[in-house]
């Protein structure tokens, strides 16, 4: 009498097998060793400029820079402050692509730039991680689509595959948005420009206290005169 064949464990369903494979792929791709092997560097760069020029030239210079930027970059914020009680000032925030950054920033640069600071932040690890997740999620989405195209298996399995496909697509869309945001940071330069009136002779040097005292005396005289006029 022949012995009955041994009963083995049932083979995992394709869906579970696929999830396990992708989970292993994503875990492996996110290791530090993989990031270290990535040759390109992804740096987010921010520049801070201060222009000091005659007060009557601030608005014209600011408007010229805004117009200059409209051709080759993105104006994120532009503000001009004009008040009877304070000096004219302005600010500009732009984002410019690296291919045209040298030309545009060169056109903006002038002797009136009194302060300039550059900050750089390494985003390589974030970019490598997001791109690895995008690759793995894209492969999983394609497999799930292939399973649905075959329409094989029980209705319960098909419904589970559809739910999993919707979840994967949602996560893929989120990763794509993150990658786009990172591209904005690493493929473009963010510039903050501030426009201030240049200091007058009385606002600098050893004569500053004397000018401040003279200004205070003039203000007190004007206030006394205004009170006298009101009284009359």
């Amino acid at each position: 009498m022949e012995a009955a064949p041994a009963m083995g464990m049932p083979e995992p369903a394709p869906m579970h097998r696929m999830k396990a494979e992708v989970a292993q792929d994503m875990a492996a791709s996110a290791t530090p060793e993989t990031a270290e092997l990535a040759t390109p560097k992804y740096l987010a760069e921010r520049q801070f400029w201060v222009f000091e020029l005659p007060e009557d030239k601030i608005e014209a210079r600011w408007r010229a820079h805004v117009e200059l930027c409209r051709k080759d970059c993105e104006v994120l914020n532009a503000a001009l402050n004009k008040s009877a009680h304070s000096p004219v000032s302005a600010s500009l925030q732009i984002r410019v692509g690296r291919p045209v950054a040298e030309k545009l920033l060169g056109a903006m640069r002038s002797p009136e730039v009194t302060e300039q600071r550059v900050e750089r932040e390494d985003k390589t690890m974030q970019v490598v991680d997001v791109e690895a997740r995008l690759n793995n999620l894209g492969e999983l989405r394609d497999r799930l689509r292939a399973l649905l195209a075959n329409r094989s298996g029980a209705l319960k399995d098909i419904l589970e595959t559809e739910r999993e496909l919707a979840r994967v697509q949602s996560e893929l869309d989120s990763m794509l948005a993150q990658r786009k945001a990172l591209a904005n940071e690493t493929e473009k330069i963010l510039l903050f420009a501030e426009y201030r009136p240049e200091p007058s002779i009385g606002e600098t040097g050893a004569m500053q206290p004397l000018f401040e005292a003279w200004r205070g005396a003039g203000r007190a005289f004007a206030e006394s005169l205004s009170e006298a006029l009101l009284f009359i």
Side-chain angles (χ1 to χ4, degrees):
M1 183 174 178
E2 295 182 359
M7 297 295 292
M9 294 296 291
E11 185 179 355
M15 173 66 64
H16 300 292
R17 207 166 47 240
M18 191 182 305
K19 288 181 181 178
E21 290 173 2
V22 173
Q24 291 175 359
D25 290 343
M26 293 180 72
S29 62
T31 58
E33 290 79 3
T34 306
E36 290 176 1
L37 293 175
T39 50
K41 280 284 186 181
Y42 297 90
L43 300 176
E45 182 173 325
R46 293 176 290 274
Q47 296 194 19
F48 303 84
W49 292 16
V50 175
F51 293 84
E52 289 186 351
L53 57 162
E55 186 175 350
D56 59 348
K57 294 183 179 180
I58 288 179
E59 183 176 355
R61 181 67 57 86
W62 171 79
R63 291 189 183 280
H65 288 171
V66 171
E67 290 302 317
L68 184 67
C69 180
R70 291 190 194 280
K71 301 175 183 177
D72 296 316
C73 65
E74 179 185 1
V75 178
L76 301 178
N77 184 49
L80 177 66
N81 304 311
K82 298 174 70 175
S83 170
H85 307 290
S86 61
V88 175
S89 63
S91 61
L92 182 63
Q93 182 180 347
I94 64 175
R95 182 180 284 128
V96 54
R98 292 185 184 273
V100 298
E102 184 176 353
K103 177 183 176 182
L104 186 137
L105 297 182
M108 292 179 61
R109 191 172 284 109
S110 68
E112 288 88 356
V113 178
T114 58
E115 296 179 31
Q116 190 170 355
R117 188 174 82 255
V118 179
E119 295 179 357
R120 293 185 179 92
E121 183 181 356
D122 193 347
K123 298 279 187 175
T124 304
M125 290 290 290
Q126 296 179 40
V127 173
V128 169
D129 179 66
V130 170
E131 288 186 344
R133 291 175 181 273
L134 280 172
N135 182 59
N136 291 319
L137 287 168
E139 291 180 358
L140 177 56
R141 178 198 58 190
D142 294 342
R143 294 180 191 177
L144 292 170
R145 285 177 175 175
L147 281 177
L148 286 176
N150 293 332
R151 292 289 180 180
S152 60
L155 177 60
K156 178 183 177 182
D157 294 335
I158 294 176
L159 293 176
E160 182 183 353
T161 304
E162 289 179 342
R163 284 193 296 268
E164 182 66 9
L165 178 59
R167 185 195 66 79
V168 169
Q169 186 62 54
S170 175
E171 190 172 349
L172 188 60
D173 292 341
S174 176
M175 286 291 112
L176 285 169
Q178 289 187 41
R179 184 63 186 94
K180 184 177 180 180
L182 285 168
N184 256 341
E185 293 186 61
T186 59
E187 297 174 12
K188 299 178 181 180
I189 294 174
L190 187 61
L191 171 66
F192 298 87
E194 186 178 349
Y195 305 79
R196 304 173 183 167
E198 62 182 0
S200 63
I201 297 176
E203 294 175 330
T204 58
M207 299 295 289
Q208 182 176 357
L210 181 60
F211 276 93
E212 289 293 335
W214 179 261
R215 189 179 301 161
R219 187 181 302 113
F221 173 75
E223 290 175 355
S224 300
L225 181 60
S226 64
E227 290 175 1
L229 291 173
L230 288 172
F231 178 77
I232 293 173

